[in-house]
Amino acid sequence: MSFAPKTAPYSGKINAVTLGTGDKAIVIGGQNVLPFYTFDAPIENAPKIGVEVSDVAADWTHESLKAFYAGCTTMADYAKKAETIEGADFICLNFVGADPNGKNRSVAECVADAKAVAEAVSLPIVVVGCKNLEKDGELLAAIAEALSGKNVLIMSAKNENYKTVGASVALANGQKLGAETADDINLAKQLNIMLKGLNVNPASVVMDIGTAAVGYGYEYAASTFDRIRLAALAQGDADLQMPILATVCNDTWGVKESTASVEDEPVWGCREERAISMEVATAAADLTGGADAVVLRHPESVATIKKFITELI
């Protein structure tokens, strides 16, 4: 008698959210099993990989990144180069330079960059602000309007500004909306409920529930991923069934393992190899925890994580 394994798909299901338009559009989410549990049910939409395109990329100091993007001067240049990376599913525009406490780039400059990128690439676009609530409120609304019809994902609405960002991004301009909280299932659920109360369609929401570089309190991130995904699938909690995007690059490239020189830490080995390893390890952990998409910076990280996903699906 042949062995027939018992499958265990859940009645709860993660929302399927489409980003982009045309042939290069992608779908994130949609599964009704735990991450990579293909023995329980097919996973129609494999996790997706985004490549970071930062407006301060010219300040990056890692040699292989500088070499890969040699000759790029504008965000559109960087985006076109990033689009050539095998395994890239979308482009993530990171407007770090808009921070009033940093370069304080104007909203007009950032909007012009976003429009130039949208014209230059065919991959779907995700937009990340500068984390300054006041500046992001203005910036994200302007980019959402400027990229009307592109079906982009705008990150992020937070507890403090969800009304203005939610209204301008999702309601006024019909874009997909990111909901950002920090490693807490209750905060994530509360924000999703508040967005729903604002009449934002839950099927247009993607969660950024927070992450951390491995070794830097990652257990908090891991427990949040696990609890949210189990609540969505096993308990059928519709307020937690939004797909999850993790901006891994933001947390991994600034830690000491990624920045300390060989002269400062000679026993640690090559700085770039360390940085890539931090990015890969964190992305793999997030994906196995339940992330439906990750944003990475280095082409080698993209290649490694793409292989990781392909071999597990």
Side-chain angles (χ1 to χ4, degrees), residues 174-197:
Q175 308 286 20
K176 300 302 192 298
L177 178 67
E180 181 180 344
T181 51
D183 297 331
D184 188 304
I185 184 174
N186 296 314
L187 292 178
K189 180 172 180 175
Q190 180 186 35
L191 180 54
N192 290 337
I193 291 172
M194 291 190 297
L195 288 171
K196 187 165 61 175

Side-chain angles (χ1 to χ4, degrees), residues 110-151:
C110 296
V111 169
D113 280 339
K115 292 174 66 175
V117 170
E119 293 171 0
V121 302
S122 57
L123 290 180
I125 294 172
V126 172
V127 177
V128 176
C130 66
K131 307 301 182 183
N132 178 280
L133 288 174
E134 184 177 353
K135 186 67 169 285
D136 277 350
E138 184 181 358
L139 173 63
L140 299 180
I143 291 179
E145 181 179 5
L147 300 188
S148 179
K150 296 293 185 180
N151 194 26

Side-chain angles (χ1 to χ4, degrees), residues 11-197:
S11 57
K13 189 174 183 179
I14 306 304
N15 299 341
V17 176
T18 301
L19 304 180
T21 59
D23 295 340
K24 294 296 181 69
I26 60 172
V27 180
I28 60 174
Q31 68 275 17
N32 65 333
V33 292
L34 292 173
F36 303 111
Y37 275 43
T38 53
F39 43 81
D40 279 340
I43 296 177
E44 295 181 11
N45 305 311
K48 300 300 188 291
I49 303 172
V51 180
E52 179 192 22
V53 173
S54 173
D55 61 349
V56 297
D59 297 336
W60 290 345
T61 59
H62 291 76
E63 291 302 323
S64 61
L65 279 172
K66 291 170 64 176
F68 180 78
Y69 288 107
C72 296
T73 58
T74 66
M75 287 191 81
D77 292 339
Y78 279 91
K80 285 189 288 186
K81 185 66 175 179
E83 192 173 40
T84 67
I85 298 174
E86 186 173 355
D89 297 302
F90 62 93
I91 301 296
C92 181
L93 304 183
N94 196 350
F95 287 100
V96 179
D99 189 350
N101 298 310
K103 294 182 181 294
N104 196 24
R105 301 183 70 233
S106 71
V107 170
E109 288 178 298
C110 296
V111 169
D113 280 339
K115 292 174 66 175
V117 170
E119 293 171 0
V121 302
S122 57
L123 290 180
I125 294 172
V126 172
V127 177
V128 176
C130 66
K131 307 301 182 183
N132 178 280
L133 288 174
E134 184 177 353
K135 186 67 169 285
D136 277 350
E138 184 181 358
L139 173 63
L140 299 180
I143 291 179
E145 181 179 5
L147 300 188
S148 179
K150 296 293 185 180
N151 194 26
V152 301
L153 170 62
I154 306 287
M155 311 292 291
S156 293
K158 302 180 182 179
N159 183 65
E160 299 89 345
N161 66 357
Y162 76 94
K163 289 183 179 179
T164 55
V165 174
S168 63
V169 170
L171 301 182
N173 292 292
Q175 308 286 20
K176 300 302 192 298
L177 178 67
E180 181 180 344
T181 51
D183 297 331
D184 188 304
I185 184 174
N186 296 314
L187 292 178
K189 180 172 180 175
Q190 180 186 35
L191 180 54
N192 290 337
I193 291 172
M194 291 190 297
L195 288 171
K196 187 165 61 175

Side-chain angles (χ1 to χ4, degrees), residues 61-62 212-216 249-279 282:
T61 59
H62 291 76
V214 288
Y216 284 81
C249 55
N250 287 349
D251 287 271
T252 57
W253 284 86
V255 297
K256 186 176 181 180
E257 287 82 356
S258 300
T259 61
S261 67
V262 175
E263 291 73 23
D264 290 338
E265 299 291 348
V267 299
W268 287 7
C270 174
R271 182 178 68 137
E272 297 213 30
E273 290 180 2
R274 284 186 260 123
I276 295 168
S277 294
M278 290 295 290
E279 186 165 52
T282 302

